[in-house]
Amino acid sequence: MAHRNLVILTGAGVSAESGVPTFRGADGLWEGHRFENVATPQAFARDPALVQRFYNLRRAALSTVQPNAAHHALARLAAEWKGDFLLVTQNVDDLHDRALAEVTPGPGFELIHMHGELLKARCTVSGVVSKWRGDMAADEPSPDHPEGRMRPHIVWFGEMPLSMDRIGRALAKADLFVSIGTSGAVYPAAGFVQEARFAGARTVEINLEPSLGASLFSEGVYGPATETVPAFFETLSRPA
Ligand code: BJW
């Protein structure tokens, strides 16, 4: 069956084989950190030095990793796809961006980082977002507001994920929804499959192993993303 309106959700599993740790696996990112100590607004208010150090290390680690075959397969798809294609990533790394920079995506393509980006910072008062490559100090001053401090442009627990209206509109008209490398443990992303099903979409999970929400999908493809993602999209018929 040919599809036209595609929504793909990616999670930490798509970057795992690039060497970016997942959150909840063995050796996961939360190991050694209670997430409420580093990934909540309350943690940042309580101990900004700890939170900034956690994100400074992860930001610096980005220079040691490269996009893998799964990121490149999705970038090729973005270049070839003639219909609408919304790629929603929960990942705060820039590996999709780097793979996409090597192609010319089609006019119907868009990438959304719904949980923010490690390479951006935000003023706590004005909300202005700017690119950020180096370390951030615990009390990093804001260039946008005398009272402001800079914080990582990251969606922490209890905060509203980004571009939810845009994502909701795409899910409401999706005819194919593919979820890649996410445990389905975090909402609202974990609920996207139900929104896509409601719209009548074919729903596919691609993961190392069945996730918490595997039974919500009409199909599952299991194995490492660098193998399963290129193979799956190779066989997908493209809209004319
Ligand atoms: C491979 C692989 C390979 C490995 N190949 N696969 C009940 C209902 C609804 C909501 C809530 C609820 N209770 C609490 C909430 C709210 C809360 C929440 O969901 N909490 C849960 C713990 C239950 N959510 C929020 O607070 C969110 N905001 C919110 O809800 O606002 C209100 C709202 C509601 C509705 C609509 C709109 C607004 C905000 C969530 C922010 C999440 N932030 C984090 C941290 C970001 C910063 C950072 O990076 O430090 O985002 S949490 C962390 O989890 C990160 C990730 O993006 C996210 C998802 O993790 P992901 O990607 O799934 O990784 P893992 O490690 O869990 O899984 C990896 C998967 O890969 C596994 O399945 C492996 O098998 C697989 N894999 N290698 C293929 N080679």
Side-chain angles (χ1 to χ4, degrees), residues 12 17 23-24 55 58 115 158-160 182-183 187 207 225:
E17 290 163 83
F23 291 88
R24 296 171 182 81
Y55 288 99
R58 289 174 57 200
H115 289 163
E159 297 184 320
M160 180 67 90
T182 176
S183 61
Y187 286 85
N207 201 310

Side-chain angles (χ1 to χ4, degrees), residues 10-17 21-25 28-30 35 38-39 54-55 58 89-92 114-116 118 154-161 164 180-190 205-212 223-226 228-229:
T10 64
V14 81
S15 296
E17 290 163 83
T22 61
F23 291 88
R24 296 171 182 81
L29 254 184
W30 295 148
F35 75 79
V38 288
F54 178 66
Y55 288 99
R58 289 174 57 200
T89 187
Q90 297 170 88
N91 299 343
V92 297
M114 67 175 288
H115 289 163
L118 274 172
I154 299 286
V155 177
W156 288 321
F157 283 106
E159 297 184 320
M160 180 67 90
M164 287 304 298
I180 304 173
T182 176
S183 61
V186 174
Y187 286 85
E205 163 168 274
I206 302 182
N207 201 310
L208 209 46
E209 58 196 15
S211 74
L212 288 173
T226 53
T228 49
V229 173

